Amino acid sequence: QCSTTRLYSSTDPLTILTSETLKKSLQNSSTAWLVQFYSSWCGHCIQYAPTWSALAGDVKDWDTAIRIGVLDCADEKNFDTCKEYGIHFYPTFRYFKARNSQPDTGKTYRGADRELPTVRQLMVTFLQNHSQEDWPPACPPLEPSRALEILSLLGQKSHQYTAVIFEDEKSFVGREVILDLMPYKGLNVTRVAEPDKIVREKLGIESLPSGYLFSPDGSHGLIDVQKPLRFFFSSYLKLLPGVRRKQARRIPEKAVSVENGIHVAWKEFNKSKVYMADLESGLHYLLRVELASHKTLEGEELKTFKDFVTVVAKLFPGRQPVVKLLETLLEWLISLPIAHIPYDAILDLVNNKMRISGMFLTNKIDWVGCQGSQPELRGYPCSLWLLFHTLTVQAAERPDALANTGLEDNPQAVLQTMRKYITTFFGCQECGRHFEEMAKESMNQVNTADESVLWLWKKHNIVNNRLAGALSEDPMFPKTSWPTPDLCPACHEEVDGLHTWNEKEVLAFLKRHYVFSNMSPKYTA
Ligand code: FAD
């Protein structure tokens, strides 16, 4: 069910509390809580809401140890509760300990400032101040390990990885990485504060913080990240082979999928490449399966289809037979004076007439970079994202490509075409609804082709973060903000303890990634 208050909605990664749910949620809770009591008419609360939502997103993976909530004191049904809790000023932040069976009005936060990194660090300290009796059961130890214990792991085999963050006394990196990895299994993360000279020399640690990894097979070494930051360490550890989200579905012993009763062997691939086989398989599915469920195209549907074919015919950086097919389809559509097109006529063109003259689009599915560890995972939606990212990048790199199509001079041409395709034809209606919400909110603010590339990248990351840990997530391909630091270290920065994107670098990376020269023809038919 969709709950909303005036400043927060169910799409924010936090819990919206009310007078009915507050006490039930806080008492005997298995997690600690940080609750913001706010008032929706208070200007500062309005201004602060994006920071609070960003904080909740930043610590989403900590929510089995500490959760973020909000309660609106301007809502009539919460008046009595706010009075009972003695809330006089807005916003008031209150911490509530885990496993507290007594009624408790919480401990007011009075920090130096309300910036995201400061509040996050205070959350860590608050967690650490729990006693053994009220320690949140899911929260791993946050105290530093002794260096000697760590040295005793050298050369030992184990059933899982152990990662150690070596850091100075005041650093929060180790504790934040420990909490970030809490929902993952297959590794144990710990930290060592102020390692002495002997330990440093033995492990080759030259600066702090540094990460050190003990692998299950007994091998060990320094964690090689470009920047010694929380986000880089956490991202590196989440992507280790064998490390999985705890609640994710079980991963099959062997990554083999079954299609039409036939076992399809796993294809090795390189995640820094885009595979033409994915793009072509996606186009095949779109044209011959998804659209083919429509008997006739007319009105808005026909217009959407024509715009889609225009955009792919002009911008798709594909192999010659595929591009020729798309161009011929476009010419045919333009030449037709009729207002209804039976979809069979389109299929006929795509399937039969084309073979004669060097035009061809594969008629089977061969996922490569979009392979799922199980047949129902990844595949078509993955290829659709790849296709539209590729098209936004092509529109930015080849500004004249849409000349004389009616779509030229429109920096949103690809995005608006995608929007219409997704809401009109994409089989996942719920996905279409979510995408439309994002489009309504900000697509019309896109003013250049470069902004259009970045808009889609940003929105795709919002979807990734929303779906992380969901049942539709493939455990072999955990959803995370993309590109990960291993693909683009320069894309990631930390400013005042906060992970930020260097958008100039992201744009440059996307323009290197979604181009023909980075597309592998391997596995194409
Ligand atoms: P995908 O998210 O499909 O990504 C495919 C590839 O794109 C990745 O492997 C990576 O190489 C690249 N990539 C990842 N992130 C970015 C980025 N930010 N910018 C550029 N490239 C990137 N599923 C739902 O359950 N609920 C939804 O509401 C929903 N909405 C969707 C909306 C749209 C428009 C689409 C196309 C799909 C939607 N899906 C939704 C499906 C979901 O987003 C995934 O496509 C699907 O779960 C398969 O995930 P995947 O692991 O293959 O990665």
Side-chain angles (χ1 to χ4, degrees), residues 498-517:
L498 189 62
H499 172 263
T500 51
W501 292 97
N502 180 328
E503 293 198 0
K504 203 167 145 238
E505 292 291 344
V506 172
L507 181 64
F509 172 80
L510 292 166
K511 287 184 174 184
R512 290 195 300 274
H513 188 75
Y514 287 111
V515 284
F516 187 75
S517 55

Side-chain angles (χ1 to χ4, degrees), residues 194-243:
E194 305 291 348
D196 62 28
K197 199 163 164 248
I198 301 171
V199 174
R200 285 185 185 220
E201 277 175 8
K202 183 132 191 151
L203 300 180
I205 295 168
E206 288 176 358
S207 58
L208 299 179
S210 275
Y212 203 88
L213 187 69
F214 296 89
S215 297
D217 65 0
S219 60
H220 52 89
L222 280 169
I223 294 175
D224 184 16
V225 288
Q226 294 257 346
K227 299 175 195 169
L229 303 173
R230 166 198 172 196
F231 188 82
F232 279 68
F233 288 125
S234 295
S235 169
Y236 177 93
L237 297 174
K238 286 176 191 174
L239 293 173
L240 284 172
V243 170

Side-chain angles (χ1 to χ4, degrees), residues 290 380-381 422-423 425-435:
E290 187 158 81
Y380 179 57
I422 295 292
T423 47
F425 295 121
F426 189 38
C428 169
Q429 262 194 344
E430 192 61 10
C431 307
R433 199 178 57 74
H434 282 130
F435 192 74

Side-chain angles (χ1 to χ4, degrees), residues 378 382 385 389 431 434 457 460-461 464 479 482 514:
R378 308 195 73 225
C382 166
W385 280 119
H389 287 299
C431 307
H434 282 130
W457 159 75
H460 191 172
N461 271 344
N464 291 341
K479 290 189 195 297
W482 189 95
Y514 287 111

Side-chain angles (χ1 to χ4, degrees), residues 13 32-35 48 51-52 54-69 93-96 109 115-130 135-136 139 142 172 175-176 179 182 230:
W33 282 82
L34 172 56
V35 179
Y48 191 68
T51 307
W52 196 252
L55 169 72
D58 190 64
V59 298
K60 192 173 161 228
D61 280 340
W62 304 7
D63 72 355
T64 48
I66 185 161
R67 299 176 68 183
I68 301 268
F93 302 157
R94 290 268 170 92
Y95 286 102
F96 296 87
Y109 160 80
E115 299 299 318
L116 194 162
T118 317
V119 182
R120 191 180 65 213
Q121 291 179 358
L122 277 154
M123 286 171 73
V124 174
T125 310
F126 178 72
L127 269 177
Q128 227 174 337
N129 285 340
H130 278 70
W135 190 260
C139 186
L142 298 171
F172 277 86
R175 283 168 285 180
E176 290 176 345
L179 290 167
M182 213 168 32
R230 166 198 172 196

